[in-house]
Amino acid sequence: MLKDRQLRLLLDNLTSAVLVLDENLSLCYLNSAAEDLVAASSARSIGLPLEEVVRESRSAQQALRSALATGEKYTVRRALWLLHNLEECTVDYSVTPLTDLGLLLLEVQSMDRLLRIAREDALISAQETTRNLVRGMAHEVKNPLGGIRGAAQLLQRELVDLNDEGLGEYTQIIIEEADRLRNLVDRMLGPRQPVKLLPVNVHSITERAAQLIEAECDGALIIKRDYDPSIPDIPADSEQLIQAVLNIARNAMQAIAESIGLEAGSLTIRTRVQRQFTIGRRHCPLVCRIDILDNGPGIPEEIRERIFYPMISGRAEGSGLGLSISQHIINQHRGLIKCESEPGQTEFQIYLPLASE
């Protein structure tokens, strides 16, 4: 027979959260996983009504009382719980009445991580599909552009021989516009060289990007650094990663300049280490996180979910390629880039594995 201490040890080593409620729907037991889920210790929570620790809906409370009275089990999917610290979490939970004891057993699985992984997988898949489509179109556009430019050059030479300078100006326009379109196509294709991962100090990357932004805005924009000096070297292609960070910071600078003015704006670059993080379906014990925050107007809600797609921009003068290229570079580093935005604050988060796989 297992003793009470052994039973508690078994429950505390479960990855599922286990909560036990009495007939008044007050907490009388939480295992370690449940303490982590509700962000409260057993010592603080035991004896409190469940709704003081976790709030759902009134109908959920009634369902718990009904299960206690009837002895019927049930399961709830994708329930939204509001924790005592006002954070929200999405959970699946099963309710088992222990009628002889007058108790309710709740087995809870947090779905936030699984939902986040599913969203990231769908986003990465959609972006990869779009990128392949754009690359195919870009190659198809680039081929006839070469022919147009070559024909214009030949025509320009013929016009020079005829001393027709007026028509020569038109051929020069054709050549210049063909070159402009070719440069646009090259940007759409993104970096041509595969990344070469070497140990790099992440702050050499963020500092280079910050210095370039300071030079572009002539020091008018306040750039704040909030670095963690303990971060070890990361495996990265320095030049490409500088470009990825620079694209994001430059977008922030331009949005600030067009909305509130550089003198009223601020840009913060922050680095941190984050433990036990999942990128796609890969578990990373340690990741380096680069946060880029600005106090600009925010990203328009109608394009917020599509900002990493090519040709999507919230600015009238934007090409819509910078973020797409940054996202491609971060993906090549087996990392992840996320964005949270509201009026007055936009934050991009770049996650990069600290250990080469």
Side-chain angles (χ1 to χ4, degrees), residues 137-321:
M137 291 179 61
H139 281 297
E140 291 300 319
V141 169
K142 198 168 183 179
N143 290 333
L145 273 179
I148 293 170
R149 191 183 193 282
Q153 285 179 313
L154 290 174
L155 180 59
Q156 189 177 47
R157 290 172 188 170
E158 293 291 333
L159 293 173
V160 169
D161 293 339
L162 295 173
N163 293 320
D164 193 335
E165 296 181 0
L167 292 177
E169 292 180 5
Y170 296 140
T171 56
Q172 185 60 36
I173 290 173
I174 294 173
I175 293 170
E176 291 174 356
E177 288 302 296
D179 288 341
R180 187 177 64 84
L181 287 174
R182 184 186 61 190
N183 292 335
L184 177 62
V185 168
D186 285 339
R187 291 186 63 198
M188 290 174 67
L189 290 171
R192 299 181 182 182
Q193 300 298 325
V195 294
K196 297 178 181 178
L197 301 182
L198 297 172
V200 175
N201 185 316
V202 67
H203 299 127
S204 68
I205 291 167
T206 55
E207 270 304 295
R208 180 61 176 161
Q211 289 168 0
L212 290 170
I213 293 297
E214 286 175 332
E216 287 183 22
C217 66
D218 199 22
L221 177 66
I222 297 174
I223 300 180
K224 303 175 183 177
R225 280 86 159 172
D226 182 4
Y227 295 161
D228 180 353
S230 68
I231 298 177
D233 288 351
I234 62 174
D237 185 313
S238 181
E239 291 302 318
Q240 292 203 26
L241 203 51
I242 288 171
Q243 187 63 53
V245 174
L246 182 61
N247 286 349
I248 297 170
R250 183 177 285 134
N251 277 1
M253 177 193 70
Q254 292 169 345
I256 290 170
E258 293 176 4
S259 58
I260 60 176
L262 291 176
E263 293 76 10
S266 71
L267 182 69
T268 300
I269 303 177
R270 181 171 61 206
T271 60
R272 292 290 185 271
V273 169
Q274 190 158 330
R275 300 179 184 276
Q276 310 303 332
F277 191 77
T278 302
I279 298 177
R281 296 187 178 275
R282 290 178 294 109
H283 175 260
C284 302
L286 287 174
V287 297
C288 170
R289 194 182 83 223
I290 304 172
D291 299 334
I292 303 170
L293 304 91
D294 70 78
N295 66 340
I299 299 168
E301 187 174 357
E302 61 270 16
I303 65 168
R304 207 169 287 167
E305 299 297 323
R306 299 179 288 121
I307 57 171
F308 293 112
Y309 292 167
M311 314 308 289
I312 300 296
S313 176
R315 296 172 45 248
E317 301 298 324
S319 67
L321 293 175

Side-chain angles (χ1 to χ4, degrees), residues 1 3-4 29 50-51 64 96 102 117 151 170 197 204 210 242-243 251 300 312 321 350:
M1 291 290 291
K3 299 179 181 178
D4 287 348
Y29 175 75
L50 178 64
E51 61 183 6
L64 290 173
T96 304
I117 291 173
Y170 296 140
L197 301 182
S204 68
I242 288 171
Q243 187 63 53
N251 277 1
I312 300 296
L321 293 175
I350 299 173

Side-chain angles (χ1 to χ4, degrees), residues 342-355:
E342 59 185 31
Q345 179 169 311
T346 298
E347 178 178 358
F348 282 86
Q349 301 166 342
I350 299 173
Y351 298 87
L352 298 166
L354 271 174

